[in-house]
Amino acid sequence: MRLVRSIPLFTTLVLAGAWDLSFITRAVFATAPTTQEIFSVKPSPVRIAVIGAGAGGSSSAWWINKAKERHGFDVEVHIFDKNTYIGGRSIVVHPHNDPSLVEELGASIFVRANKNLFRAVEEFGLNTTNLADEDDDMGIWDGNQFLVTLNGGWWDNVKILWRYGYSSPTKARALVAKMIEDLLVAYTPTLPHWKSVHELGEALGFSQFTSETGYEYYTRQGVSDKFTKELIEIGSRVNYAQDITSIHGLGGAVSMATGGASQVTGGNYQMFEGFVKHSDAKVFLNTTITGLSKSKTSGKTEWTLSGTSTNIPLIPYDHVILTTPFHLSGITLLGSSAEFPPVEYVHLHVTLLSTTSFRPRPEKFGWAPGSSLPKNILTTAEGVRNGGPAPDFQSISYHKTFVKDGREEHIFKIFSLDHKSDEWLEEVFGKGTLGWVYRKEWDSYPKLPPTKVFPPVKPDEGLWYVNNMEPWISTMETEVLSARNVVENMLYDAFGVGICPNGTSTEGWGTKVEDTKVYGWDC
């Protein structure tokens, strides 16, 4: 914090006796400012630039404001985003341009263990849709055949037990539950901040999780080869478009942590709009930052921003919080030695469509005409590993049914690694059945191979990186958690205290999903 001392003139003389100084005042300061006006200069606020208005950026601004409310910090926060909206990868589209029909295009769900997001829903007065109530009609496709089909009934348990036994599902479920409970320590004052992802992993006991593949981790823990390559892999392929034999163990475990899956009614982006609304930050949308320049003034580090937009303030910032993947940002660093290890991203094709077909065509999957195919089809690479063809998509998911102009249509979402033409869609759903089609391709999430190297939390003095956790766990929730950690570290640098007061008690906090206290929201 910058401090400017006020040195009141004549203090010694006044304290020595009640001298009449009026003649001095009249003669010397007749037209001059008062002593207070001369020497009591108000410090300028600590200025913070947040680049990106998605989960990480919006919550960074909110965490800063939460600390400001508690401690009275004088801070000024500016948020910059190249998009015209708040939410980053959380975007909705409207089938047939009908505002009453809302479909998540990007970050689609969060789960009960995502305490920051569920707290945001509560605090911002939002409603949620419980996806656990959605259709359980599902099949596992290996590119050549369905290995398992389930319909949500009691018979599913018999099928699972027959194919995988009792031990593997039980062990896998216990491992995921233990992972969640261990992770929730980071939502208590026991672990309010960390200097690196490696330090966090060590504190939680997760180092082995990320140093081997999901397949190696689960099978080493006694989960069977078949269960891992089929039931666990469908999770890693639908959530991260990566096989269980290539994704690290933590990514595989997170893919299975789907308890209480929900989404905000009307769109998840509303959580991030809520963070910004309650952040007291100034927002610059449709503003592309292309350069960050570091300099020193009187020994103090300052950052200036540059870009293609004309509304970027020409002022120095004390801190910059970067919340977008650096290698995808197009930002050039000047005067900085910051290094970001390369992180490769999955280039995903998302196809949303409406069709009059209630299910995919059975003929496309080698079933007899008229057969009732599962509406939700998840995939495994087990067929490829056994010398068969690869599935030509990652997943096909049924979302909802609606009536438009007297015609019943059904919405499906398809994840794939390549473009799906109308011709391909008609192979799947039937010729002449397509209604509305929307396609989006983007670098959706990082590839998560086993690694011990993660991006830095603080790449340079005054420069902070929220995306440091993405190669560790990539979710909306962990972006908010990472933002809390970045802000906590930044505040200690700037003010010597974090979001909560120093010495916040560790008593009365829990690491169960049902425990309601969340560090940062509560102290």
Side-chain angles (χ1 to χ4, degrees):
M1 177 184 289
R2 307 181 189 118
L3 296 175
V4 178
R5 296 187 181 274
S6 175
I7 309 174
L9 217 59
F10 311 126
T11 297
T12 304
L13 295 176
V14 172
L15 291 175
W19 288 22
D20 181 5
L21 304 177
S22 60
F23 74 95
I24 299 178
T25 304
R26 289 193 297 272
V28 181
F29 297 117
T31 59
T34 65
T35 303
Q36 183 179 4
E37 288 172 326
I38 293 174
F39 294 103
S40 292
V41 179
K42 182 181 179 181
S44 59
V46 173
R47 293 194 180 98
I48 304 165
V50 179
I51 300 177
S58 63
S59 60
S60 290
W62 184 87
W63 289 121
I64 294 168
N65 194 59
K66 199 70 175 172
K68 177 182 175 181
E69 291 174 351
R70 290 189 176 120
H71 305 296
F73 298 147
D74 189 9
V75 295
E76 182 179 330
V77 179
H78 293 171
I79 303 174
F80 302 88
D81 200 292
K82 65 182 179 181
N83 296 310
T84 58
Y85 61 88
I86 291 168
R89 283 173 279 184
S90 182
I91 311 173
V92 299
V93 293
H94 303 283
H96 294 297
N97 294 318
D98 184 342
S100 69
L101 299 173
V102 180
E103 287 296 319
E104 294 282 358
L105 187 62
S108 299
I109 68 167
F110 50 100
V111 300
R112 193 66 246 181
N114 295 162
K115 293 196 171 190
N116 285 315
L117 298 186
F118 267 94
R119 187 64 173 269
V121 166
E122 177 185 329
E123 295 284 340
F124 302 153
L126 303 174
N127 297 316
T128 59
T129 300
N130 186 356
L131 301 182
D133 296 334
E134 299 295 313
D135 201 304
D136 289 328
D137 183 12
M138 187 265 286
I140 301 176
W141 175 251
D142 73 353
N144 182 60
Q145 62 180 331
F146 281 102
L147 303 179
V148 179
T149 59
L150 306 171
N151 60 19
W154 65 270
W155 186 243
D156 290 352
N157 292 329
V158 177
K159 289 182 179 180
I160 295 295
L161 287 172
W162 181 262
R163 186 169 184 86
Y164 304 109
Y166 176 80
S167 175
S168 289
T170 303
K171 287 179 180 177
R173 187 162 51 248
L175 289 169
V176 171
K178 178 68 163 54
M179 179 272 295
I180 292 172
E181 185 170 335
D182 289 343
L183 179 60
L184 293 184
V185 172
Y187 294 78
T188 74
T190 302
L191 190 59
H193 59 270
W194 47 90
K195 297 295 185 183
S196 67
V197 174
H198 176 75
E199 180 183 309
L200 173 63
E202 288 286 327
L204 299 177
F206 282 6
S207 298
Q208 191 67 35
F209 252 138
T210 55
S211 63
E212 59 187 351
T213 67
Y215 174 76
E216 291 167 337
Y217 175 78
Y218 276 107
T219 54
R220 184 170 59 80
Q221 297 291 334
V223 180
S224 72
D225 179 276
K226 180 178 287 187
F227 188 87
T228 303
K229 289 181 176 178
E230 294 180 5
L231 259 295
I232 298 178
E233 184 164 80
I234 63 174
S236 68
R237 284 174 65 89
V238 71
N239 285 297
Y240 293 116
Q242 294 164 67
D243 297 341
I244 198 64
T245 53
S246 61
I247 195 171
H248 60 54
L250 188 55
V254 169
S255 298
M256 297 291 287
T258 58
S262 301
Q263 59 186 203
V264 175
T265 305
N268 290 332
Y269 71 91
Q270 296 170 91
M271 292 184 289
F272 312 123
E273 286 186 341
F275 280 128
V276 172
K277 179 181 178 182
H278 295 87
S279 72
D280 197 32
K282 186 174 182 179
V283 183
F284 298 82
L285 296 180
N286 198 27
T287 303
T288 302
I289 304 300
T290 58
L292 297 176
S293 180
K294 176 188 173 187
S295 61
K296 280 190 176 292
T297 302
S298 301
K300 182 174 73 71
T301 298
E302 295 180 334
W303 293 86
T304 53
L305 280 55
S306 58
T308 57
S309 306
T310 58
N311 63 338
I312 301 171
L314 300 176
I315 59 174
Y317 291 91
D318 300 284
H319 297 273
V320 174
I321 300 177
L322 184 60
T323 72
T324 186
F326 179 76
H327 295 285
L328 303 177
S329 69
I331 291 175
T332 299
L333 298 177
L334 300 174
S336 172
S337 58
E339 294 184 356
F340 300 83
V343 177
E344 190 177 355
Y345 275 68
V346 174
H347 192 75
L348 190 71
H349 292 252
V350 182
T351 307
L352 276 163
L353 69 136
S354 66
T355 171
T356 55
S357 178
F358 188 49
R359 300 176 182 274
R361 290 176 60 244
E363 296 89 341
K364 164 71 176 175
F365 296 87
W367 283 24
S371 301
S372 183
L373 207 70
K375 296 196 295 294
N376 299 285
I377 304 176
L378 305 182
T379 61
T380 171
E382 189 63 350
V384 179
R385 289 188 284 262
N386 291 326
D392 54 354
F393 59 92
Q394 299 298 113
S395 63
I396 298 174
S397 302
Y398 165 79
H399 280 206
K400 64 169 66 87
T401 296
F402 66 95
V403 177
K404 181 73 172 177
D405 298 328
R407 177 170 120 150
E408 186 176 82
E409 295 186 18
H410 315 281
I411 295 178
F412 287 84
K413 178 188 276 188
I414 300 172
F415 289 157
S416 62
L417 299 180
D418 59 359
H419 173 83
K420 294 307 179 190
S421 66
D422 284 357
E423 291 73 21
W424 187 91
L425 295 176
E426 288 188 330
E427 283 183 28
V428 174
F429 294 102
K431 194 169 183 62
T433 67
L434 300 182
W436 166 85
V437 178
Y438 187 97
R439 296 178 176 88
K440 171 75 174 180
E441 56 179 293
W442 52 7
D443 295 317
S444 52
Y445 21 66
K447 293 185 177 179
L448 302 173
T451 184
K452 295 182 179 180
V453 178
F454 299 96
V457 171
K458 184 181 180 181
D460 202 347
E461 189 66 31
L463 180 63
W464 306 88
Y465 192 46
V466 169
N467 284 73
N468 67 85
M469 282 180 68
E470 276 227 299
W472 192 69
I473 302 177
S474 178
T475 66
M476 293 185 289
E477 172 68 17
T478 44
E479 284 295 281
V480 177
L481 181 63
S482 181
R484 192 204 80 194
N485 179 61
V486 158
V487 169
E488 185 93 353
N489 279 283
M490 183 193 70
L491 292 175
Y492 268 102
D493 272 16
F495 302 106
V497 66
I499 297 169
C500 287
N502 290 334
T504 296
S505 174
T506 59
E507 298 296 321
W509 301 75
T511 58
K512 303 293 185 182
V513 171
E514 58 270 20
D515 291 322
T516 58
K517 293 183 70 174
V518 184
Y519 182 79
W521 297 85
D522 307 300
C523 288

